[in-house]
Amino acid sequence: MILTVTLNTALDITYRVRSLRPHASHRVSEVAERPGGKGVNVARVLAALGHEVTVTGFAGGGTGREIRDRLAGTPGLTDALVPVAGATRRTIAVVDELSGDTTQLNEPGPQIEPAEWGAFLDRYEELLGGASAVALCGSLPPGVPVGAYANLVRTARSAGVPVLLDTSGEPLRRGVAARPDIVKPNADELAELTGSHDPLRATQDARRRGAHAVVASLGPDGLLAVTPEGRWRAAPPAHIPGNPTGAGDSAVAGLLSGLVENLPWPDRLTRAVALSAATVRAAAAGEFDRAAYEELRGQVAVTGAVSAA
């Protein structure tokens, strides 16, 4: 079983409009709603790939109930979310059909009380006992300690469970120091962490700060991986138009599934880039276009070599 942690779950709502203009009213042509938050997106992709996956984190209020109801119909996915008094947040993605651009609006999330945080920690330790790997993903809701991910990384390592960390800001800085197996920042998060805007230099610096391997997401340019086994770049064949919401989460699913399947790094990166690009092509956040994924797997370009990183 693969465990994904989403401390700040969300109901992802995607609106499609012909052209998004400031200070104007818009007629929405299509609405899609899906359970969301980074780890939930990762879990749905893993389940679609055939892995047994368990989702934990927090869920509360009417939005939380809706998320749990929707997750209940996902084959291969087990809901282990911890109930809280506050209402789970919503995220809004507005897709401009004319330009293909997406505007994202993210609510902060519910206030988590100390007793609720304690209940989650108990659930997390229990779930690690049956996990082959764990992904720690996304933002922290109000009330959760800023060092939460560092604590969760150390707990996973003590249990002998490989851990992937995908967050930003101070939670990322503290989490990296706890020595996760894989860290997957995007270019902006990497620059904030290291102070360098050169992807290779910043990725190497992130490894020196404690991460076993660092896979940097470079947007349309694909992924850069610096690992103990070597250094690689992986890129899609061309710019992929569409909605990028959830593309990074699909990349995490590709990396995590490759880890538990013991695939070599080039194969993990190929899968991650193809899934990410296929997610951009999908109609709604947190899904991927399976036909596009199968097509793109054979077109991802991976360069690099096995060597000491």
Side-chain angles (χ1 to χ4, degrees), residues 4-5 13 19 25 46 48 54 57 94 104 110 113 125 129 167-168 188 215 229 244 247 249 253 258 268 296:
T4 72
V5 174
I13 303 170
S19 177
S25 296
L46 286 168
T54 296
V94 184
Q104 191 80 18
E113 300 301 328
E125 291 191 30
T167 187
S168 60
D188 290 339
V215 182
E229 291 80 20
D249 305 329
R268 298 186 202 182
L296 289 162

Side-chain angles (χ1 to χ4, degrees), residues 95 100-102 104 240-249 276 279-282 285-286:
V95 179
D101 292 336
T102 301
Q104 191 80 18
I240 308 295
N243 179 7
T245 304
D249 305 329
S276 180
T279 299
V280 173
R281 286 196 185 173

Side-chain angles (χ1 to χ4, degrees), residues 10-29:
L11 181 67
D12 286 341
I13 303 170
T14 303
Y15 294 140
R16 302 185 72 89
V17 300
R18 176 167 175 75
S19 177
L20 183 62
R21 304 180 309 279
H23 316 298
S25 296
H26 298 80
R27 186 176 298 277
V28 176
S29 61

Side-chain angles (χ1 to χ4, degrees), residues 117 140 143-149:
W117 177 238
L140 302 180
V144 171
V146 71
Y149 282 134

Side-chain angles (χ1 to χ4, degrees), residues 3 24 33 69 72 86 101 107 111 118 160 172 201 223 268 286 294 305:
L3 177 64
E33 296 185 358
D69 288 345
D101 292 336
E107 296 179 358
Q111 177 74 31
L172 174 60
R201 180 178 299 174
L223 300 174
R268 298 186 202 182
E294 296 297 340

